[in-house]
Amino acid sequence: MVTLNDDVVAIDVHTHVLTSAYKAAGTEASAHDEAMAKYFKTDMPRPTVHDLAAYYRDQKMMCVAFTVDSSWATGELPEVGNDELCDLAAEHPDVIIPFGSVDPHSGRRGAREVRRLAERGVFGFKFHPSTQAFYANDRDVYPIYEAIEETGTIALFHSGHTGAGAGRPGGGGIRLKYANPMYADDVAVDFPELRIILAHPSFPWQDEALSVALHKPHVHIDLSGWSPKYFPPNLVQYARTLLKHKVLFGTDYPVLTPERWIRDFDKLGFDEDTTALIMRENAAALLGL
């Protein structure tokens, strides 16, 4: 059972598992990963679940970990499957908080997978509208949301700009339009008990994300994927005030490290109580830890 210990200083709600621990070491980075590393100006390691656990245990943090199933759009299964993530997360209940991933185009088959994984102990499901090529409010996806709401798990949506495909010809075929957070507003209306996280500062739709989170009681915003020094001023203002109970620490590791994120966040001058909410307490409440 995942347990929040007293010595945990933060909960990172947005990290990626990129390599299977069951396959041979030394798996080469894909063109996608190489482009991401170039975009974020980092060597970008490709962590297994074990790697994530070791890294975040050393940081005295917990982390939400997931992969993204974009098989409909790409024709390729994710490197790490849901069952591997669940199996290995169970070996690190002091650190790893597992989220699953289902392809949004999988309909009722995806809904069955949601229910199966909820029984295995996942806390939520990651969606990436840009790479999975869907609008969050597409009614064909609604059986999946119904299952997520029914099981009491969380839907985490990538929103806004993405480093995925950046700099590649045609952006690697990835269309930014899918990631406007306003499409998730329809989901929040049609599934009023569904807990939703809008991932990242939602450039160029930051105001839309702030409005949705202000208006819908179960919508949160994670602060991953950007160094805090690039946060839009309106995001910083709402994170200090009206949304201080609904914003969540996240890095997008391995593209950003907690060390860099925290170093830049500290320069924004948040007070101690609000910092504690963002770094740990809001996520603990949302995840039920």
Side-chain angles (χ1 to χ4, degrees):
M1 178 181 291
V2 175
T3 303
L4 177 61
N5 296 319
D6 290 341
D7 62 348
V8 170
V9 299
I11 301 171
D12 186 338
V13 302
H14 201 115
T15 73
H16 294 265
V17 179
L18 297 179
T19 300
S20 171
Y22 297 156
K23 298 180 181 179
T27 304
E28 293 185 1
S30 65
H32 167 82
D33 289 341
E34 290 174 353
M36 287 281 282
K38 182 178 180 180
Y39 179 81
F40 284 99
K41 298 181 176 64
T42 176
D43 292 336
M44 205 176 88
R46 304 185 71 249
T48 66
V49 174
H50 295 314
D51 295 333
L52 271 180
Y55 179 79
Y56 276 88
R57 188 175 288 117
D58 187 60
Q59 300 288 324
K60 293 184 170 56
M61 296 181 184
M62 301 180 76
C63 65
V64 169
F66 46 70
T67 60
V68 179
D69 184 344
S70 301
S71 54
W72 182 89
T74 66
E76 298 179 359
L77 292 172
E79 170 81 13
V80 181
N82 288 316
D83 284 311
E84 176 180 343
L85 201 155
C86 288
D87 290 344
L88 300 187
E91 299 180 23
H92 306 284
D94 60 319
V95 184
I96 303 294
I97 303 164
F99 269 42
S101 180
V102 295
D103 195 297
H105 303 277
S106 59
R108 296 195 180 283
R109 175 171 55 84
R112 288 195 299 271
E113 179 72 348
V114 165
R115 293 184 175 95
R116 185 183 74 86
L117 291 171
E119 291 181 357
R120 293 215 59 192
V122 303
F123 284 71
F125 294 85
K126 166 64 184 290
F127 297 96
H128 198 305
S130 298
T131 63
Q132 293 175 316
F134 80 107
Y135 293 105
N137 63 353
D138 187 330
R139 292 301 179 110
D140 288 342
V141 192
Y142 274 29
I144 294 173
Y145 301 149
E146 181 180 9
I148 296 174
E149 184 181 51
E150 174 189 305
T151 57
T153 51
I154 297 165
L156 189 158
F157 293 95
H158 170 93
S159 69
H161 187 75
T162 180
R168 299 177 66 191
I174 293 169
R175 301 178 190 273
L176 300 176
K177 64 181 181 179
Y178 292 119
N180 187 327
M182 194 56 71
Y183 296 119
D185 184 64
D186 285 341
V187 180
V189 170
D190 295 334
F191 298 91
E193 298 306 315
L194 177 63
R195 294 174 295 158
I196 293 172
I197 300 173
L198 299 175
H200 317 308
S202 301
F203 172 82
W205 302 293
Q206 184 65 83
D207 285 340
E208 284 89 334
L210 293 170
S211 177
V212 174
L214 281 168
H215 194 255
K216 302 300 187 294
H218 295 309
V219 175
H220 297 69
I221 292 174
D222 88 33
L223 301 175
S224 68
W226 291 45
S227 162
K229 69 181 179 181
Y230 297 119
F231 285 176
N234 53 347
L235 174 60
V236 175
Q237 176 64 16
Y238 278 95
R240 291 186 197 279
T241 55
L242 296 179
L243 288 177
K244 66 181 180 180
H245 293 283
K246 300 185 79 178
V247 291
L248 311 163
F249 165 54
T251 61
D252 216 5
Y253 184 83
V255 298
L256 282 175
T257 65
E259 297 97 326
R260 179 187 174 187
W261 193 98
I262 291 170
R263 182 177 67 245
D264 291 345
F265 180 79
D266 286 344
K267 296 175 183 177
L268 296 178
F270 278 71
D271 65 64
E272 184 176 337
D273 289 343
T274 305
T275 297
L277 289 171
I278 293 171
M279 296 301 296
R280 171 181 153 131
E281 302 309 327
N282 291 343
L286 178 62
L287 295 162
L289 298 178

